[in-house]
């Protein structure tokens, strides 16, 4: 810790298992207030004075763009308040990657914004929430932490972009493309963060982005149906490294030619989707470091951009390994 005075933090609680009542996997997410959670965490006072707000208290499977907007507004307001050195956001793990993607792409943080959560409810033996919260508080309060959006989980510090929940039960369910965690909380280690590009605007109304599986049982007509029912973009959940089945090619080429943004994502839990000659041929964009759910958020933010600008932004932000095959 570089600071001597106790920094002030705002903790925005949004629900999740970290604040759940109950045990096992049949618990009620978001049932406990941040005040209650903090009472069980007296060590937090060594690092920060903490104020609370609870924009909502949900199981993150129920999150909607309205929840995202409420959180985005609460964070933007808090970033403008000079008394706060940083923010902690407690969140359910199930859709944390979508929220993290949105915040990473649309905020211009001047302070650390640290997301965290838990895989086990507080009353469960071996609950991970208290430790994750403590580490998030410590990272947000540390004067050496650069501005940016981070996730602290299971003693690791992750970037918000490229994040994915890759395991249903493990105490470290998160992974990140392309290089994994930025650092660890034991020892306390965070390498310098690259400069952040300018934030994207939140659309006034959220465009429809279809998520389409392309297994043996799925028909490529789904793409046309998505377009006919008003989708502005489609994310394809493809096998392997985003491999397009031949029978889908014509439908994809037709869809992109008529203006649909089509992203090739992978149904594999981990690994990037690299640019491929098929993108040139079919007019698709590879998901790059984004998981399929995160690619949906990115596609929704970029759907209204002109095709050329969209392509440039997408390549710059999500394909950090370069555009060459
Ligand atoms: C949720 O996502 O709100 C419930 C599951 C979790 O936090 O791990």
């Amino acid at each position: 810790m570089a600071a001597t005075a106790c920094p002030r933090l705002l903790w925005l609680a949004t629900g999740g298992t970290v604040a759940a009542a109950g045990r096992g996997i049949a618990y009620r997410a978001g049932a406990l207030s941040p005040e209650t959670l903090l009472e069980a965490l007296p060590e937090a006072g060594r690092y920060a004075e903490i104020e609370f707000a609870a924009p909502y208290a949900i199981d993150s499977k129920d999150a909607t763009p309205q929840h995202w907007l409420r959180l985005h507004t609460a964070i933007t307001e808090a970033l403008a308040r000079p008394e706060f050195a940083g923010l902690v956001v407690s969140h359910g793990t199930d859709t944390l990657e979508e929220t993290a993607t949105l915040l990473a792409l649309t905020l211009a943080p001047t302070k650390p914004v640290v997301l965290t959560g838990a895989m086990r409810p507080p009353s469960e033996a071996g609950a991970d929430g208290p430790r994750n919260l403590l580490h998030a508080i410590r990272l947000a309060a540390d004067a050496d932490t650069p501005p940016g959006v981070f996730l602290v989980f299971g003693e690791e510090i992750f970037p918000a972009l490229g994040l994915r929940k890759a395991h249903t039960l493990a105490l470290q369910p998160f992974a990140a493309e392309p290089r994994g965690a930025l650092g660890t909380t034991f020892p306390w280690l965070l390498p310098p963060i690259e400069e952040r590009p300018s934030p994207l605007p939140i659309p006034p109304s959220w465009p429809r982005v279809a998520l389409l599986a392309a297994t043996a049982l799925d028909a490529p007509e789904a793409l046309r149906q998505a377009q006919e029912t008003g989708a502005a973009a489609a994310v394809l959940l493809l096998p392997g490294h985003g491999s397009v089945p031949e029978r889908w090619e014509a439908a994809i080429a037709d869809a992109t030619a008529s203006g649909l943004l089509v992203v090739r994502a992978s149904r594999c839990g981990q690994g990037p989707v690299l640019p491929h000659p098929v993108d040139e041929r079919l007019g698709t964009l590879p998901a790059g470091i984004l998981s399929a759910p995160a690619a949906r958020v990115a596609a929704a933010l970029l759907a209204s951009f002109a095709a050329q600008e969209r392509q440039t932004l997408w390549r710059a932000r999500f394909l950090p390994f370069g555009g060459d095959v």
Side-chain angles (χ1 to χ4, degrees):
M1 282 278 286
T4 45
C6 208
R8 209 169 171 73
L9 296 184
L10 180 65
W11 173 358
L12 293 165
T14 70
T17 299
V18 68
R23 286 177 195 221
I25 54 168
Y27 48 74
R28 196 156 55 86
L32 305 177
S33 71
E35 288 89 336
T36 306
L37 297 176
L38 200 62
E39 270 164 27
L41 206 61
E43 309 93 297
R46 282 172 42 206
Y47 300 109
E49 273 176 46
I50 298 169
E51 252 180 60
F52 314 99
Y56 45 88
I58 60 168
D59 186 314
S60 78
K61 69 180 166 54
D62 297 320
T64 65
Q66 285 71 37
H67 293 104
W68 294 345
L69 193 57
R70 242 187 284 165
L71 181 59
H72 189 277
T73 304
I75 293 177
T76 306
E77 285 170 5
L79 287 172
R81 287 176 58 183
E83 68 269 31
F84 294 129
L87 310 182
V88 168
V89 179
S90 51
H91 196 290
T93 61
D94 282 352
T95 67
L96 194 145
E97 72 200 72
E98 281 106 308
T99 302
T101 304
L102 180 86
L103 298 179
L105 292 175
T106 59
L107 288 174
T110 47
K111 305 164 187 178
V113 177
V114 184
L115 295 153
T116 196
M119 289 299 286
R120 293 188 186 159
S123 53
E124 186 78 44
D128 54 334
R131 179 194 57 184
N132 288 342
L133 280 167
L134 190 64
H135 289 169
I137 288 166
R138 193 174 159 193
L139 186 69
D142 192 327
D144 291 334
T145 304
V149 186
F150 305 99
L151 167 70
V152 164
F153 214 101
E155 299 183 357
E156 291 186 286
I157 306 165
F158 293 94
L161 208 59
L163 200 62
R164 63 212 56 216
K165 184 173 179 181
H167 199 285
T168 53
L169 290 174
L171 290 182
Q172 179 49 283
F174 286 102
E177 297 299 333
R179 292 179 206 95
L182 295 166
T184 61
T185 54
F186 279 123
W188 198 249
L189 186 66
L190 187 65
I193 306 296
E194 291 149 26
E195 211 167 291
R196 296 171 39 77
S198 50
L200 298 172
I202 293 199
S205 67
W206 287 88
R208 182 107 64 81
V209 181
L211 178 63
L212 302 176
T215 70
L217 295 176
D218 298 299
E221 287 72 43
L223 206 46
R224 189 176 34 79
Q225 284 157 5
Q227 218 170 355
E228 282 170 3
T229 53
V235 173
L236 302 179
L237 205 50
L238 297 165
H241 50 79
S243 305
V244 177
E246 277 177 22
R247 66 181 188 287
W248 277 71
E249 289 201 0
I252 294 173
D254 284 351
T256 59
S258 62
L260 192 75
L261 165 58
V262 180
V263 180
R264 288 188 303 112
S266 173
R267 68 186 200 189
C268 298
Q270 295 190 30
V273 176
L274 300 171
H276 184 278
V278 78
D279 295 315
E280 200 67 38
R281 208 151 36 80
L282 303 182
T284 46
L285 286 172
I289 61 170
L290 302 178
S291 66
R296 272 182 111 185
V297 176
L301 291 174
L302 290 172
S304 64
F305 283 59
Q308 190 54 50
E309 191 181 5
R310 191 161 74 193
Q311 172 117 347
T312 307
L313 283 169
W314 192 279
R315 283 183 174 268
R317 290 180 187 218
F318 310 135
L319 308 178
F321 24 72
D324 294 336
V325 186

